[in-house]
Amino acid sequence: MHIRAKLAIMSGAINEKSRAQHAARVATVQKALREWNDEGRKTKLCTARPGWLAMSLRTGRYKKTMTGIPTHKLGNVISINEEKRTVFVEPNVTMGQITATLMPLGWTLPVLPELDDLTVGGLVCGVGIESSSHKHGLFQHCCKGFELVLASGEVVSCSADNNPELFKAVPWSHGTLGFLVGAELDIVPAKPYVRLEYVPLFDRKTAVETCLESYKNTDLDFIETLIYSRDEMVLMKGAMVDKPEPGKVNAIGTWYKPWFFTHVRSYLEKKKPGVEYIPLRDYYHRHTKSLFWELQDIITFGNDLWFRVLFGWMMPPNHSILKRTQTEELRKLYEDHHVVQDMLVPGSKLQECLDVQDREFGCYPLWLCPMRIFPEDAGFIKPAKNGEEMFIDLGIYGNPSNKDFKPQVNLRNVENYVRSVEGFQMLYADMLQSREEFEEMFDHKLYRKMRKELGCEGAFPEVYDKVCKAARW
Ligand SMILES: NC(=O)C1=CN([C@@H]2O[C@H](COP(=O)(O)OP(=O)(O)OC[C@H]3O[C@@H](n4cnc5c(N)ncnc54)[C@H](OP(=O)(O)O)[C@@H]3O)[C@@H](O)[C@H]2O)C=CC1
Ligand SMILES: C=C(/C=C/[C@@H](C)[C@H]1CC[C@H]2C3=CC=C4C[C@@H](O)CC[C@]4(C)[C@H]3CC[C@]12C)C(C)C
């Protein structure tokens, strides 16, 4: 089957047919926009993808008041160009779909964010990061081109050579310049296994130095750190390989296997490094089964052996079902007593940033994922003034141990700190900054220029108006 699929793709037969089907689906987006124009542009626009499907704790209030454009009906992989090493996909294609489609053909994405349900549209118009970002940058840096439908209904394409300003302005724009209907993404050869080296580290200062040094190693395909307490962390260094060493394969994605973060923690208990060979797809989706470590607060016995053996195949509960069935009380509980945040800070500030995290939240475990911000790619994000390219995503997910935790105080303090070190906040999470503070964190120059040129005012809200606290519940 895979060989036949490959032959058909190479002959172009599938590519041509699906391109025609894609054009028909784009026409439905254009039609919706024409109707909105004909009806006198009564409200602003957003996508019609229901808010509870979004990979965020929150749901946009604006979904109820704005006109929804049905981009979420576009969910197919359209064509693969093995010579050019690209794949053309529609915006509602998910990361799970991408690995299932590309890997049997021997390809993968350079940056493949790890939760199965993340969509290309959300990662392009928001931001995407993964443990290969120390080498390849953000999801946006692995995109060759975008196809958009503007508020007027016109279809435009952009890439580094064609319409380069629009190309730079789309990432982080949250659907406020136009509707993404297609994206051409880089692909790279996939190997069947990841050789993963686990390195337990015990003293914060030296551990952070060791991590920062390793993050520079672009010979590694993957690198990340999980931090379990002030002075306990495990650095993981991964490289794609063709063949595993006998007896060292660990298919961590199998339903009865322990949650990945608990498996990683076992290296702290053993107090010595180790090497395993993990099937590539299992590696990519290693944090999916336990939603990082969020599932331990939802199904407290979810990692017990009996549960894994009997019900592990059902995990994780779909985040959108959890959102859809969330009561107001539970929502409030999460809002007041739970942190889900990703702060992108310059590497040189990591030590300090961990201290700020301890003081304001005191959440553990933490996720460290290094990433590059290249000066030439800057758009909504500004490169560091001192030329530093290595940033670290500090992922904070869990219940704060700070007994006096108040989001309005402690999250605000962390946001202020991140802004003061020229860092960035990922915008899928609660964002409490004022409009002025937000404009200090993110560069609005190119964005505003594009909004003017494309006639976005009156058609789309600004990013701030989609991501601030008042816009979501
Ligand atoms: N590893 C990672 O990188 C992770 C990233 N995330 C975050 O989750 C989000 C992605 O989640 P996902 O559920 O896929 O996406 P979302 O539905 O959350 O969309 C994110 C933003 O992109 C806009 N958008 C999505 N598709 C389109 C489109 N076709 N055209 C125009 N605008 C669009 C949405 O607009 P609208 O609100 O109008 O629908 C929204 O503002 C990103 O913001 C990402 O940063 C979360 C977890 C992990
Ligand atoms: C951004 C990153 C990772 C983020 C994840 C840890 C969170 C992204 C979306 C979060 C969730 C969405 C909805 C939920 C429903 C609630 O009832 C329970 C919590 C949750 C499952 C919540 C949990 C955390 C997320 C999965 C990195 C990788 C850049």
Side-chain angles (χ1 to χ4, degrees):
M1 162 60 191
H2 296 330
I3 292 179
R4 273 216 262 148
K6 199 165 178 143
L7 286 175
I9 284 165
M10 281 159 69
S11 74
I14 287 186
N15 284 356
E16 221 169 274
K17 191 167 167 219
S18 47
R19 284 236 169 232
Q21 289 167 343
H22 169 66
R25 284 190 290 269
V26 172
T28 63
V29 171
Q30 293 181 279
K31 181 167 170 273
L33 283 160
R34 265 197 302 273
E35 282 168 9
W36 171 78
N37 277 297
D38 292 346
E39 282 163 15
R41 297 186 159 214
K42 288 196 188 110
T43 70
K44 289 191 177 165
L45 300 165
C46 63
T47 80
R49 185 167 192 249
W52 48 269
L53 278 178
M55 188 51 88
S56 161
L57 261 172
R58 307 282 171 240
T59 301
R61 290 181 196 273
Y62 54 85
K63 294 274 177 181
K64 286 212 173 105
T65 52
M66 294 187 191
T67 303
I69 302 298
T71 51
H72 62 302
K73 302 274 166 70
L74 282 76
N76 288 56
V77 176
I78 303 301
S79 60
I80 299 173
N81 186 330
E82 295 190 312
E83 243 165 70
K84 243 177 102 187
R85 294 193 164 197
T86 58
V87 59
F88 188 82
V89 296
E90 293 183 332
N92 211 40
V93 164
T94 63
M95 292 305 104
Q97 222 176 318
I98 294 245
T99 42
T101 311
L102 288 184
M103 283 176 45
L105 300 172
W107 296 101
T108 184
L109 299 185
V111 176
L112 201 140
E114 64 296 300
L115 300 171
D116 293 28
D117 291 336
L118 290 162
T119 64
V120 169
L123 293 165
V124 166
C125 300
V127 56
I129 184 164
E130 182 31 19
S131 56
S132 55
S133 289
H134 71 296
K135 187 168 175 164
H136 300 287
L138 299 173
F139 192 79
Q140 69 191 69
H141 299 127
C142 306
C143 296
K144 276 261 172 333
F146 304 130
E147 186 181 33
L148 296 150
V149 182
L150 304 180
S152 60
E154 182 195 348
V155 180
V156 293
S157 306
C158 59
S159 65
D161 307 319
N162 158 36
N163 227 337
E165 289 197 313
L166 178 57
F167 183 60
K168 274 192 182 182
V170 168
W172 296 79
S173 67
H174 289 77
T176 62
L177 295 174
F179 292 100
L180 186 82
V181 287
E184 190 180 14
L185 313 176
D186 290 327
I187 53 175
V188 291
K191 293 186 184 169
Y193 292 94
V194 174
R195 178 190 185 278
L196 195 63
E197 188 185 340
Y198 302 85
V199 186
L201 299 165
F202 293 96
D203 163 70
R204 175 177 287 184
K205 191 166 176 304
T206 48
V208 166
E209 282 161 11
T210 308
C211 289
L212 288 174
E213 195 48 41
S214 304
Y215 294 165
K216 293 183 196 152
N217 185 353
T218 49
D219 288 340
L220 291 170
D221 293 311
F222 308 104
I223 193 152
E224 70 180 328
T225 306
L226 296 189
I227 309 188
Y228 293 88
S229 71
R230 201 190 175 284
D231 288 301
E232 291 176 302
M233 46 189 100
V234 180
L235 167 67
M236 280 165 279
K237 305 193 239 183
M240 278 198 262
V241 293
D242 287 313
K243 273 212 169 100
E245 283 176 60
K248 290 197 176 173
V249 173
N250 185 0
I252 52 168
T254 317
W255 85 96
Y256 55 80
K257 291 276 181 169
W259 289 344
F260 183 63
F261 78 96
T262 61
H263 172 61
V264 177
R265 188 166 54 201
S266 69
Y267 287 89
L268 284 172
E269 285 140 26
K270 287 182 217 147
K271 289 197 167 51
K272 56 175 197 223
V275 170
E276 282 182 336
Y277 290 79
I278 299 180
L280 182 61
R281 192 159 198 264
D282 291 41
Y283 176 79
Y284 279 139
H285 300 298
R286 66 201 177 284
H287 292 303
T288 297
K289 208 166 36 167
S290 53
L291 297 171
F292 285 77
W293 29 93
E294 287 285 354
L295 206 53
Q296 65 184 353
D297 294 330
I298 300 169
I299 306 180
T300 45
F301 44 81
N303 202 35
D304 291 358
L305 182 63
W306 68 269
F307 184 88
R308 282 189 272 123
V309 171
L310 292 176
F311 304 112
W313 54 274
M314 295 166 83
M315 292 300 107
N318 188 282
H319 79 282
S320 39
I321 295 180
L322 292 174
K323 276 174 83 171
R324 195 83 169 115
T325 54
Q326 202 174 51
T327 58
E328 179 54 21
E329 286 72 24
L330 199 56
R331 193 193 67 77
K332 225 28 216 123
L333 212 65
Y334 265 99
E335 185 162 289
D336 294 339
H337 303 286
H338 200 80
V339 179
V340 176
Q341 284 290 336
D342 282 81
M343 298 296 181
L344 317 185
V345 293
S348 58
K349 301 290 176 194
L350 179 58
Q351 195 84 250
E352 193 178 274
C353 185
L354 289 175
D355 292 340
V356 172
Q357 192 292 132
D358 278 346
R359 191 182 64 227
E360 301 296 339
F361 301 147
C363 285
Y364 285 99
L366 299 167
W367 188 55
L368 292 188
C369 180
M371 45 169 280
R372 304 281 292 282
I373 295 184
F374 308 103
E376 63 276 18
D377 293 326
F380 208 57
I381 45 175
K382 316 172 190 177
K385 286 195 198 97
N386 65 2
E388 192 172 345
E389 283 182 3
M390 180 65 72
F391 278 64
I392 316 291
D393 177 355
L394 172 60
I396 312 160
Y397 324 120
N399 298 324
S401 65
N402 173 358
K403 292 278 168 283
D404 300 322
F405 173 73
K406 287 188 190 61
Q408 276 300 339
V409 176
N410 306 99
L411 175 54
R412 291 282 290 138
N413 287 346
V414 173
E415 289 176 339
N416 292 344
Y417 168 76
V418 170
R419 210 172 43 252
S420 76
V421 296
E422 299 180 69
F424 311 98
Q425 183 175 20
M426 272 175 82
L427 301 175
Y428 76 92
D430 283 357
M431 200 281 294
L432 304 182
Q433 298 185 84
S434 69
R435 196 180 291 273
E436 293 68 34
E437 289 165 343
F438 185 73
E439 291 191 22
E440 200 184 314
M441 181 176 278
F442 293 101
D443 191 340
H444 281 60
K445 249 190 280 66
L446 177 65
Y447 172 67
R448 292 254 164 80
K449 181 173 178 227
M450 294 321 298
R451 275 181 65 89
K452 210 165 191 184
E453 279 181 20
L454 302 175
C456 297
E457 280 133 29
F460 298 103
E462 283 220 346
V463 177
Y464 184 82
D465 297 306
K466 284 183 102 171
V467 303
C468 68
K469 192 72 189 86
R472 291 166 164 166
W473 60 281

